[in-house]
Amino acid sequence: MDPGTDPTDADDIIQRYGRRLFVLAYNLTGDGGQADDLAQECLVRSFLAPDLPAGDRETVVFLIRGLISLWKERLDLPARPGASRGRVTVPAAPSRPAGEHATLWQALSRLDPTSRAVLVLRVAGDLEYETVGRVLDMAADVVYARLLQARSRLRQGETVLDQPLFETMNLYLDGRLPGDQRGEFERRLQSDSRLRERVEFHRGLTLELHEEAPPLPRDFARRIHDSLGRARETLALVDKLAQSAGWEHPALAAGLESLAGTASRPAGRRLPWWPAAAVVALVCVAAATAFWIARRRPATAPAPAAVEEKTTPAP
């Protein structure tokens, strides 16, 4: 078995995408330690996957999709007793000194996980609606509807703008408002102080999302390689045990391929059911270990999901 990405390719991917994943993870969690942990595990899992794409655009979607999936996966896991460092509290706002980006985290804490992911990917990740949809398995119009929903919930107790004006403001913030409508909207901004204050609020959040993340830890790449090395050693041991037993179950082979990629192997003889069951149990334990080799922190209870609504974006 030759699981995963070549070390040289891994270095290139870490260099090109590591910081981006870390910043997105930070905007999802509001915590540097959690962001580091999520980005690390996302990359390790991706390097072990047999279907990591080669093209830049496809690689971005693949990695961010994995990051969002892992983040939501942790939200759905119960916390381990006595653990605190990695506790994922999203969408609740993390504790931090008073006044330090308080508006940003209070605003994000009001969003359910899906709405928060849409907002972060669009506003902080600069992804188009279609790309966000590919990451989150949504149609572009659903992404647009979720973005409207997220922005409408960012400030508690705020007077809601009428729907046409609110949608126009969102298209303006996203740079999607046609030129003639843009000029008309900007003229209205000069005379409507309430609308102007609303636009400035959202622009301020966008700037904070782009500027707030801490620097990438210095040993980020080294720790990824360490975790990847341990995972590969585990997978090699699993492969050796399976081959020495002279047995390979189709479901087991498929599971190993999905975890780390496989080289072709000759078909082996079938064992009696009891040693076969022992091999399956051993491999399942080892495979789970490889999947979670980078994990050091637990997660909290799930957040409530929002109701999806469909709205067609303006051209």
Side-chain angles (χ1 to χ4, degrees), residues 168-231:
T168 300
M169 182 191 75
N170 277 273
L171 291 171
Y172 176 76
L173 291 168
D174 284 347
R176 290 196 165 205
L177 198 60
D180 55 339
Q181 296 181 39
R182 183 181 181 88
E184 181 181 346
F185 183 80
E186 288 177 341
R187 286 191 292 273
R188 180 164 183 173
L189 278 178
Q190 296 175 4
S191 60
D192 190 334
S193 60
R194 184 170 67 100
L195 179 61
R196 185 168 60 252
E197 190 272 338
R198 187 77 60 90
V199 169
E200 290 173 353
F201 169 79
H202 288 290
R203 282 176 168 171
L205 286 183
T206 299
L207 288 174
E208 288 193 67
L209 282 170
H210 280 279
E211 297 173 358
E212 157 69 352
L216 194 67
R218 291 184 178 181
D219 60 346
F220 185 79
R222 179 188 60 76
R223 286 185 287 115
I224 289 177
H225 282 294
D226 289 347
S227 297
L228 190 58
R230 291 192 296 270

Side-chain angles (χ1 to χ4, degrees), residues 19 21-40 74 85-87 94-96 105 212-217 220 223 296-297:
R19 171 67 183 172
L21 290 174
F22 175 78
V23 171
L24 287 175
Y26 182 80
N27 289 326
L28 291 169
T29 64
D31 181 87
Q34 293 178 37
D36 178 42
D37 191 41
L38 282 169
Q40 289 263 331
R74 290 191 176 194
R85 181 169 177 256
R87 186 167 298 161
S95 59
R96 52 185 63 244
W105 301 111
E212 157 69 352
L216 194 67
F220 185 79
R223 286 185 287 115
R296 300 181 303 279
R297 302 166 188 157

Side-chain angles (χ1 to χ4, degrees), residues 234 238 280-290:
T234 302
V238 169
V280 170
L282 176 60
V283 170
C284 287
V285 171
T289 302

